[in-house]
């Protein structure tokens, strides 16, 4: 399985504005109705955008925020935002957090990076309190074969089939890890964007699929993009499929 060098991606990660803002987390809202003090863990927190957004929504609430990421460079960007959180540089399997101390674990667009996904789920289960919530959100490659990344660099689609677990496998493994009340929600978006936006997105190379492949394959994809732009195409189709899985600890 190829790996992404986030020491490079960290330099341009937040220039993709689609990553900066997160909606208000309704699971936090629900949990606050049951208890006054919460601990929220953002696993693979990257540059801290989820934590930054939620603190705007829940300022003044008694919430302890924790962000964990394997990339120190990504964490350095997060820390520069003055987020009131504890940041831990660790993988998804061995971080040092007390068992049954977390009310909510979120993992946004990162589960595919974990080399031992089963072990990471066991770890998440161990740190959650009883009735704590785990939420995994990611793209769903098999439902977006026409995504522009896969179109211009088809090798990335094959790699993603190795990196991403399909929905049924995720739910099966969650059940094996003793999670309960497992549910899945899919979202599908299709829109047209200017071809200039496609060129900019490709050049930025901040998406893990483009960052992980060899330079020659990346350049071949760039040549395909530029050829399309030079032939007068004014728009390109953007297709995205999201999968969000939510479950609870018994």
């Amino acid at each position: 399985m190829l790996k992404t060098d986030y020491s490079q991606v960290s330099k341009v990660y937040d220039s993709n504005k689609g990553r900066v803002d997160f909606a208000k987390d309704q699971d936090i809202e629900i949990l606050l109705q049951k208890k006054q003090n919460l601990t929220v863990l953002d696993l693979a927190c990257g540059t801290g955008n989820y934590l930054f957004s939620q603190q705007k929504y829940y300022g003044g609430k008694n919430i302890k925020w924790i962000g964990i990421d394997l990339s120190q460079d990504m964490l350095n960007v997060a820390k520069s935002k003055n987020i009131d959180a504890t940041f831990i540089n660790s993988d998804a399997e061995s971080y040092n957090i007390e068992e049954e101390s977390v009310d909510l674990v979120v993992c946004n667009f990162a589960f595919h990076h974990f080399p031992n996904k089963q072990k990471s789920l066991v770890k998440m289960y161990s740190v959650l309190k009883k009735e704590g919530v785990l939420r995994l959100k990611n793209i769903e490659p098999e439902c977006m074969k026409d995504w522009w990344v896969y179109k211009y660099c088809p090798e990335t689609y094959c790699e993603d089939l190795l990196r991403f677990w399909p929905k049924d496998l995720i739910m099966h493994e969650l059940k094996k890890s003793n999670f309960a009340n497992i549910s899945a929600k899919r979202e599908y978006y299709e829109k047209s964007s200017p071809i200039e936006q496609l060129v900019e997105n490709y050049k930025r190379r901040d998406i893990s699929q483009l960052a992980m492949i060899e330079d020659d394959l990346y350049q071949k994809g760039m040549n395909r993009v530029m050829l399309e732009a030079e032939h007068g195409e004014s728009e390109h189709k953007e297709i995205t499929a999201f999968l969000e899985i939510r479950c609870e600890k018994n």
Side-chain angles (χ1 to χ4, degrees), residues 109-128:
F109 306 105
F111 188 63
H112 58 289
H113 289 301
F114 302 164
N116 191 329
K117 295 176 177 59
Q118 290 97 336
K119 192 172 180 180
S120 72
L121 291 177
V122 171
K123 182 66 174 178
M124 292 180 223
Y125 187 89
S126 72
V127 301
L128 275 171

Side-chain angles (χ1 to χ4, degrees), residues 198-213:
L198 168 63
V199 174
E200 179 183 333
N201 290 344
Y202 198 96
K203 286 182 176 179
R204 193 166 55 236
R205 202 177 181 179
D206 62 319
I207 296 174
S208 72
Q209 286 82 358
L210 297 179
M212 72 182 178
I213 59 175

